[in-house]
Structures are given as structure tokens and as C-alpha cells.
Amino acid sequence: MKKIYAFVLAGALLLSACGGGMTGGDAEHMDGEGVEAHDYWARAAMAGGNSAAYMLLHNHGTEADALIGASSDVADAVELHLSQMNADGTMEMVQQEKIDLPADGEVELKPGSYHVMFIGLKKDLAVGDEFTLTLTFEKAGEVTITVPVKDAAEMGGEGMDGHNMGGMEATPTP
């Protein structure tokens, strides 16, 4: 009986070791080094309009890194943005030169916070579509992901970047 128990336990340990580090959701660069992107998605939008992508970035490195750019062929421009509350209670989006990623840490790009902004969509992004997005990091280099388009309301957001925009415009950094 002990031999059977030991065999089952060894098999379970072997299977759990082979399971990798993915714990649900999509992930790219799954070697436990560099930077990984998890749980990424973009909001549905019409051609000519704007959209945004969100994700969890994990830096497995021992040195801090930074997301310094992004590119995709679905829009005229792809920028890094931060949504922030003004003193008068309105939200604005401010273009960012980079998004810092601490050593062995995570940064969440989410509605109402940091996000990748797609300006001047060249085609409709319909729920269920996918497109390629290349993220450029200061030290880790490029990570390319295939981003699914989802309904923002189902993902916890409304309007652009999780807020009712009410005519809000993107503001470039000075």
C-alpha cells in the first residue's frame, strides 16, 4: 500500500512540476525570466475611433525595467497612457514616456489607470477579434502578444478607459 501511495504522490509532484507558471489567462514569455504579459485584452471599438489594451506585466528580473513603447498595425498611433483625476474631478489621459516595472514585481494596466492607447483605428475591433501588439521594454526588449478584443462592460470598464469620457481628450506630456 505504501508503494502505491508513494507512486501516486510522485506522479502528482511530477505533473505539478510540468504545469508551468501560468495560472489562468493568457501569458507570453513564459520562461520565468525577463518580462511576461498576462491577462491581456483590448476593448471593442469602431474604425476611426480609439481603443485601449490592458494587461498585467510581471518582471522576473533582478533589475527594474520599463515599458517604453508599443506598436501594432491596427491604429495610426499606439501610445502609453495614464488616466488620472484632475482637481476639478474630471479624468484626463496623459501620454507617458514609460511605465516603470520594478524588479521581481508587477504593474497592472487597467481601466482608469495605465493602458496602451490605440489612436485612429484602421479597422473595427469587434468582440472576438484578435490582433498583434508588440511591447518594447527598456531591458527585456520586445514581447509580442496576440490580444483578444472583449466587451469592456464585461471586463469591468465603461466608456474609454473605465470612465464616462464626456468629451475627454488625450493630453500629451509636455
Side-chain angles (χ1 to χ4, degrees):
M1 186 62 141
K2 284 184 179 182
K3 285 183 180 182
I4 293 174
Y5 177 73
F7 181 73
V8 170
L9 180 61
L13 289 173
L14 180 62
L15 286 175
S16 66
C18 293
M22 197 173 331
T23 58
D26 297 316
E28 289 293 329
H29 201 102
M30 286 300 301
D31 61 7
E33 295 180 10
V35 176
E36 290 178 349
H38 300 270
D39 304 325
Y40 35 86
W41 64 280
R43 61 178 61 248
M46 295 190 312
N50 300 333
S51 183
Y54 311 100
M55 65 201 71
L56 180 65
L57 298 175
H58 187 121
N59 180 5
H60 290 281
T62 57
E63 294 183 46
D65 204 340
L67 177 62
I68 58 171
S71 61
S72 180
D73 61 0
V74 298
D76 293 330
V78 181
E79 300 176 347
L80 306 177
H81 280 209
L82 172 64
S83 293
Q84 61 187 22
M85 187 71 68
N86 288 327
D88 64 3
T90 60
M91 290 292 290
E92 73 173 337
M93 286 184 279
V94 180
Q95 185 177 353
Q96 303 292 292
E97 290 183 23
K98 65 180 183 174
I99 299 173
D100 290 322
L101 188 54
D104 195 29
E106 295 179 337
V107 172
E108 185 175 11
L109 282 63
K110 61 184 179 180
S113 184
Y114 289 113
H115 56 280
V116 177
M117 186 79 185
F118 303 96
I119 301 169
L121 291 172
K122 296 178 181 178
K123 63 178 189 172
D124 289 349
L125 295 181
V127 173
D129 288 351
E130 293 181 334
F131 64 91
T132 301
L133 172 63
T134 300
L135 305 169
T136 304
F137 295 90
E138 201 167 62
K139 294 179 183 160
E142 292 185 345
V143 174
T144 300
I145 57 178
T146 301
V147 180
V149 178
K150 299 186 178 183
D151 182 356
E154 292 177 10
M155 300 304 292
E158 63 174 279
M160 179 54 68
D161 204 36
H163 299 278
N164 182 338
M165 287 185 62
M168 177 174 66
E169 297 293 326
T171 305
T173 52

